[in-house]
Amino acid sequence: MLVTQNHMKKTDVVLGLQWGDEGKGKVVDCLAADYPVVARFQGGPNAGHSISIRQQMHVLHTVPSGIFRAGVMNVIGNGVVVDPVILSEEIAAIEAAGVEVAGRLVISTRAHLILPTHRLLDAASEAAKGAAKIGSTLKGIGPAYMDKTGRNGLRFGDLLTDQFLQKYQYLKAKHQGLLAQYPGFTYDMDEYEQRWMEAVQGLKRFRITDTEFLVNDYLDKDIPILAEGAQGSLLDIDFGSYPFVTSSNTMAAGVCTGLGIAPARIGRVYGIFKAYCTRVGSGPFPTELSDGTGERLRTVGHEFGATTGRSRRCGWLDLVALRYAVMMSGVTDLIMMKSDVLDGFDTVKVATSYLVDGRPVSTYPYDGGVGAVPVYTEFQGWKQDLTGIRDYDSLPSRFKDYVAFIEGETGCRIRMISVGPDRDAIIVR
Ligand code: GDP
Ligand code: IMO
Ligand code: MG
């Protein structure tokens, strides 16, 4: 029995190692060719995962990024919070692209619903914070997870019971009481609420089940699963740059609680990072470049949010933060994204430590590096177009030096290098 267990297929994990938008959607879509099952385990429609297939861009918010691979089953796990309106619109867009969804999407009975009033509470809370706002995507994520841990939430399983409307009205009334505490916050939720009610009914055509049994059955049958993370490690509710974080565990540990998979059944952990850094929303970002170089990264990398369209803050790669993310999730393989964005730069810098109040610091601080001044190592740029390259040996030596340096600093091998948005623009070593 023990021997059999050791040889059993496992759940491999794709995680963002920075502040989100590392390119998880693209990588999951690529890897899904080898995984019959892809499962989201946390977050909600604050995520925007872009997948470019033959120059056509698809953006997913809730549906796992395995949906564009024929035959792959896609699971929305218990750790996810779902806005039925957004999910329904997303499914409609995927179906309009000629992709079958109905038989290939399963939703956990334990996944929590984002109510229209959760979105309003998110907006009211952010407005009240003024300059201290988190920079939330305003999708209702924080309030929905608050109701989950506060034991008030509404779950997909409730949809299938007679008490659903009663529970909904009770929670809505509670939220309206809370909204009244924000002076000057006015709202009109009738239209969204109506769409929401239609959407929840429409979602009943999908399989809603106790997905913890489903995923463990797959593993028992030797069918491997790919778990898809949302957001990034530095937005983790426990270990990120609190309070400028999201409301879920974005690191590898979240896979266990967000899908119902035991730690021993986790296999490889693919850590995704950009060759530089970006961040949307507020919070510390030690290597941020508020100058022309940052602007150039934003322009060349098209750094505008897939969910909110906001412009992303840009800066050099931060190895203090990356080492932390690798350690916290036990990353086994690194995947470097958007390498091509640096093609034209004369010099490329990476932060290897910080100075905080004049003292050297090489570990990620509990406050996410407020006031930290990065200490950089500088590289000569490779000044060559990487977008057409498909094998590692053909890469310029100065670029390989950059790769080797990051591997040395993180103690982890870079297994894949992405050189363009499209599905096949990737080098596997
Ligand atoms: P995710 O949230 O981690 O899935 O990432 P997003 O989809 O929000 O943002 C990543 C963006 O970078 C998308 O627009 C992708 O199409 C794009 N992208 C992914 N990989 C590459 C790459 O290697 N090079 C370039 N230039 N763009 C990429
Ligand atoms: P993907 O999966 C980038 C950020 C928001 C804000 C903070 C809290 O596409 O990488 P929330 O809406 O969760 O209350 O916002 O987290 N944020 C993201 N930033 N990519 C994401 O997802 C994000 N999801 C949330 O900008 O700073
Ligand atoms: Mg994104």
Side-chain angles (χ1 to χ4, degrees):
M1 183 62 194
L2 270 177
V3 174
T4 322
Q5 286 247 346
N6 284 339
H7 286 89
M8 257 195 233
K9 285 287 190 301
K10 301 215 173 184
T11 301
D12 295 338
V13 184
V14 168
L15 296 172
L17 298 183
Q18 295 161 323
W19 291 273
D21 302 328
E22 297 88 351
K24 299 174 290 291
K26 168 174 169 164
V27 169
V28 170
D29 170 66
C30 287
L31 293 175
D34 296 328
Y35 293 84
V37 185
V38 176
R40 271 278 302 270
F41 60 90
Q42 48 71 235
N46 47 350
H49 295 180
S50 323
I51 300 169
S52 171
I53 303 169
R54 289 178 293 278
Q55 252 86 113
Q56 200 195 331
M57 193 61 90
H58 305 271
V59 180
L60 300 174
H61 302 289
T62 319
V63 174
S65 301
I67 201 75
F68 296 106
R69 292 278 177 192
V72 171
M73 186 59 89
N74 293 273
V75 180
I76 297 176
N78 57 281
V80 179
V81 289
V82 179
D83 183 325
V85 176
I86 296 177
L87 177 56
S88 302
E89 287 174 354
E90 202 175 321
I91 291 168
I94 301 166
E95 287 177 334
V99 175
E100 184 217 330
V101 181
R104 302 204 294 122
L105 183 70
V106 189
I107 307 168
S108 168
T109 45
R110 295 173 186 273
H112 280 244
L113 289 163
I114 302 176
L115 271 57
T117 39
H118 281 138
R119 290 163 63 100
L120 294 170
L121 283 166
D122 208 355
S125 160
E126 283 283 84
K129 283 186 172 160
K133 70 174 183 185
I134 308 294
S136 155
T137 60
L138 303 179
K139 302 295 178 196
I141 305 298
Y145 277 115
M146 279 165 73
D147 270 336
K148 176 178 177 173
T149 52
R151 299 161 293 180
N152 296 309
L154 211 56
R155 300 184 293 171
F156 261 90
D158 295 327
L159 251 177
L160 312 173
T161 70
D162 294 338
Q163 293 88 49
F164 178 69
L165 269 183
Q166 194 189 335
K167 284 186 180 170
Y168 172 84
Q169 294 298 350
Y170 176 83
L171 193 52
K172 175 186 160 184
K174 186 170 186 273
H175 290 163
Q176 286 177 315
L178 290 171
L179 286 166
Q181 306 297 309
Y182 292 96
F185 185 81
T186 56
Y187 58 91
D188 175 3
M189 60 178 284
D190 293 352
E191 199 249 0
Y192 201 81
E193 186 179 42
Q194 199 190 328
R195 283 166 62 199
W196 194 90
M197 285 297 172
E198 285 164 15
V200 283
Q201 294 309 322
L203 289 174
K204 283 187 187 169
R205 74 183 166 106
F206 295 96
R207 187 169 167 210
I208 299 169
T209 187
D210 299 342
T211 50
E212 63 273 29
F213 291 102
L214 185 75
V215 291
N216 281 288
D217 278 352
Y218 279 129
L219 295 175
D220 288 346
K221 290 179 183 139
D222 239 12
I223 296 171
I225 296 173
L226 187 64
E228 172 179 4
Q231 289 80 57
S233 302
L234 306 171
L235 292 173
D236 183 277
I237 182 72
D238 280 283
F239 296 106
S241 51
Y242 193 88
F244 302 102
V245 293
T246 190
S247 299
S248 61
N249 282 115
T250 59
M251 294 185 177
V255 178
C256 298
T257 53
L259 288 174
I261 286 172
R265 298 191 119 176
I266 304 289
R268 306 213 73 79
V269 179
Y270 297 102
I272 319 286
F273 69 103
K274 281 180 194 171
Y276 51 98
C277 283
T278 65
R279 174 164 203 169
V280 220
S282 326
F285 180 3
T287 61
E288 181 171 16
L289 297 164
S290 311
D291 57 6
T293 309
E295 188 55 47
R296 188 168 169 200
L297 284 170
R298 187 173 308 116
T299 310
V300 180
H302 302 290
E303 294 298 355
F304 299 91
T307 295
T308 58
R310 289 179 293 175
S311 75
R312 297 174 180 149
R313 300 156 64 193
C314 296
W316 294 123
L317 184 63
D318 183 340
L319 290 175
V320 180
L322 193 66
R323 288 193 300 255
Y324 184 67
V326 167
M327 172 182 86
M328 293 306 295
S329 287
V331 170
T332 57
D333 307 80
L334 283 171
I335 302 180
M336 185 159 88
M337 309 299 290
K338 302 192 91 160
S339 317
D340 53 299
V341 173
L342 300 180
D343 284 355
F345 285 73
D346 293 330
T347 52
V348 174
K349 295 186 192 181
V350 286
T352 50
S353 63
Y354 305 143
L355 287 177
V356 179
D357 297 328
R359 285 192 304 275
V361 169
S362 59
T363 53
Y364 190 70
Y366 103 104
D367 63 3
V370 176
V373 179
V375 177
Y376 287 116
T377 296
E378 197 170 307
F379 291 80
Q380 244 194 311
W382 43 93
K383 307 280 278 181
Q384 191 181 319
D385 179 3
L386 302 185
T387 55
I389 299 177
R390 293 291 176 271
D391 68 297
Y392 188 79
D393 292 341
S394 306
L395 286 162
S397 63
R398 284 198 214 123
F399 176 76
K400 287 186 194 157
D401 292 344
Y402 190 60
V403 168
F405 187 79
I406 297 165
E407 290 183 330
E409 284 278 319
T410 55
C412 199
R413 188 128 165 105
I414 300 180
R415 297 280 176 193
M416 289 184 219
I417 293 163
S418 180
V419 291
D422 228 55
R423 196 184 236 186
D424 53 12
I426 197 150
I427 298 164
V428 181
R429 275 169 96 183

